[in-house]
């Protein structure tokens, strides 16, 4: 069986793509939830790990949004409990998905991990992981969804704005201080800055898994109905399996969040990105667009507009 990493990026429609792979098409089963987060937990220690694992258990509950998908019968509660218990090792991760692959065989084409923050995993670790996984999976493919960098980061800052805080002020403060370390690698206001470096992340996964096994998608193009057939053709060529990008099968809450307002992906009460704010943010994030153009030859038509 094959394995699919969908390694981000958050606030770019990754959940819509997850539903496409498990609900609209019986393609990829991800185990006990969309983002098992196991490899991230492996890199945490002490209280940080305990807190993170508690969240993973919560997301594994039958009434959680991510559980309202086909294939839940293939999950075994004891397997989930053991998965999130010490010790945390690469072998345990591989074993979990190998067993899952045996259970879903005939119902799904592949198994995978849609944890967004796998994007942050160190290259040396990814090489070790690749070597272990090659012993059990025929093909290992990597996909990403990318959204206009400024609008994506604006949504991310909105998600981290607490009650009574100003979304726009938080966005501006975060950009001014984005490269300043406060000693906490998991500070939500700053830890997501690594995901801004789109091309560097893509190139890291290409070096590890091979360029032919890495497929970056632009969110705004993926869900553009005017080029849907072209997007489906590209996905089929990469995955070796046809996928239908039928938006009618995406849940209403995800369609509203991801395809309603290009400026405000997420909660309805987020502030809206204005042209003036966008221009201001380019002073801090313009390098992301320059890097993308240098790597791929052009900026996606939906970005910087």
């Amino acid at each position: 069986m094959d394995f699919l990493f969908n390694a981000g990026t958050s606030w770019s429609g990754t959940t819509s793509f997850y539903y496409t792979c498990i609900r609209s098409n019986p393609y990829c089963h991800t185990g006990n939830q969309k983002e098992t987060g196991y490899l991230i937990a492996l890199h945490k220690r002490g209280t940080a790990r305990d807190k993170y694992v508690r969240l993973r258990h919560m997301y594994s509950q039958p009434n959680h949004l991510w559980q309202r998908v086909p294939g839940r019968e293939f999950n075994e509660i004891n397997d989930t409990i053991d998965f999130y218990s010490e010790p945390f090792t690469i072998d345990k991760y591989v074993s979990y998905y190998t067993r899952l692959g045996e259970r879903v065989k005939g119902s799904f084409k592949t198994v995978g991990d849609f944890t967004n923050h796998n994007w942050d995993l160190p290259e040396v670790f990814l090489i070790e992981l690749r070597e272990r996984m090659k012993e059990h999976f025929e093909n290992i493919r990597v996909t990403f969804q990318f959204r206009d960098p400024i609008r994506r980061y604006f949504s991310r800052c909105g998600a981290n704005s607490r009650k009574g805080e100003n979304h726009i002020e938080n966005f501006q403060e975060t950009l001014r201080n984005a490269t300043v370390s406060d000693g906490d690698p998991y500070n939500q206001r700053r830890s997501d800055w690594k995901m801004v470096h789109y091309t560097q992340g893509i190139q890291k996964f290409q070096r590890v898994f091979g360029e032919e096994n890495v497929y970056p998608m632009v969110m705004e193009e993926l869900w553009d109905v005017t080029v849907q057939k072209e997007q489906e053709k590209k996905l089929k060529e990469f995955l070796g399996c046809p996928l239908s990008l039928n938006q009618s099968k995406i849940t209403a809450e995800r369609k509203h969040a991801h395809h309603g307002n290009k400026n405000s992906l997420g909660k309805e009460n987020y502030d809206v990105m204005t042209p003036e704010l966008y221009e201001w943010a380019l002073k801090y994030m313009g390098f992301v667009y320059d890097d993308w153009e240098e790597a791929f030859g052009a900026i996606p038509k939906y970005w910087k507009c």
Side-chain angles (χ1 to χ4, degrees), residues 11-222:
W11 304 98
S12 297
T14 60
T15 301
S16 290
F17 187 64
Y18 163 67
Y19 286 145
T20 295
C21 291
I22 193 170
R23 176 182 282 155
S24 303
N25 306 269
Y27 175 67
C28 181
H29 197 294
T30 59
N32 61 68
Q33 58 190 277
K34 175 204 170 194
E35 301 184 37
T36 61
Y38 186 89
L39 299 177
I40 303 303
L42 189 154
H43 280 80
K44 294 178 182 283
R45 296 291 184 272
T47 302
R49 176 183 286 179
D50 293 341
K51 181 179 179 181
Y52 190 79
V53 168
R54 283 198 298 272
L55 283 175
R56 297 300 113 188
H57 276 298
M58 182 182 74
Y59 297 152
S60 299
Q61 296 304 310
N63 62 344
H64 190 270
L65 178 66
W66 285 346
Q67 303 301 324
R68 302 171 196 169
V69 292
R72 293 301 95 190
E73 68 274 13
F74 296 116
N75 290 332
E76 297 180 357
I77 186 61
N78 290 334
D79 210 25
T80 299
I81 292 171
D82 178 68
F83 189 50
Y84 290 119
S85 302
E86 300 284 354
F88 286 79
T89 66
I90 290 178
D91 287 338
K92 194 173 180 181
Y93 177 83
V94 174
S95 176
Y96 174 82
Y97 284 104
T98 301
R99 295 195 305 274
L100 177 66
E102 289 298 319
R103 295 199 296 270
V104 306
K105 191 177 295 184
S107 298
F108 290 85
K109 301 292 185 183
T110 185
V111 293
D113 184 352
F114 273 56
T115 303
N116 286 329
H117 283 281
N118 282 343
W119 171 271
D120 295 330
L121 293 171
E123 185 167 343
V124 172
F125 175 81
L126 285 173
I127 292 172
E128 182 182 2
L129 178 67
R130 177 199 65 197
E131 293 307 301
R132 304 283 186 86
M133 295 188 72
K134 281 169 59 177
E135 299 172 8
H136 300 274
F137 297 100
E138 186 173 348
N139 296 293
I140 303 170
R141 297 183 176 92
V142 182
T143 52
F144 315 95
Q145 290 77 54
F146 296 98
R147 180 181 170 214
D148 180 289
I150 289 175
R151 293 192 173 100
R152 191 204 74 83
Y153 206 61
F154 185 66
S155 293
R156 176 64 176 169
C157 290
N160 290 331
S161 295
R162 302 178 183 89
K163 185 176 181 180
E165 292 183 337
N166 185 288
H167 178 184
I168 291 176
E169 289 179 0
N170 282 344
F171 174 66
Q172 293 176 318
E173 179 188 2
T174 303
L175 285 192
R176 291 190 189 102
N177 298 293
T179 58
V180 178
S181 173
D182 61 358
D184 178 5
Y186 303 110
N187 183 326
Q188 285 192 319
R189 295 295 177 89
R190 295 176 184 152
S191 64
D192 195 51
W193 186 246
K194 288 181 181 178
M195 284 195 181
V196 170
H197 297 265
Y198 286 177
T199 55
Q200 291 88 339
I202 294 170
Q203 290 162 356
K204 174 181 68 176
F205 280 90
Q206 287 176 336
R207 287 192 297 270
V208 174
F209 295 100
E211 187 173 350
E212 70 281 6
N213 296 314
V214 176
Y215 184 60
M217 292 171 256
V218 174
M219 185 201 85
E220 294 90 343
E221 295 176 358
L222 186 65

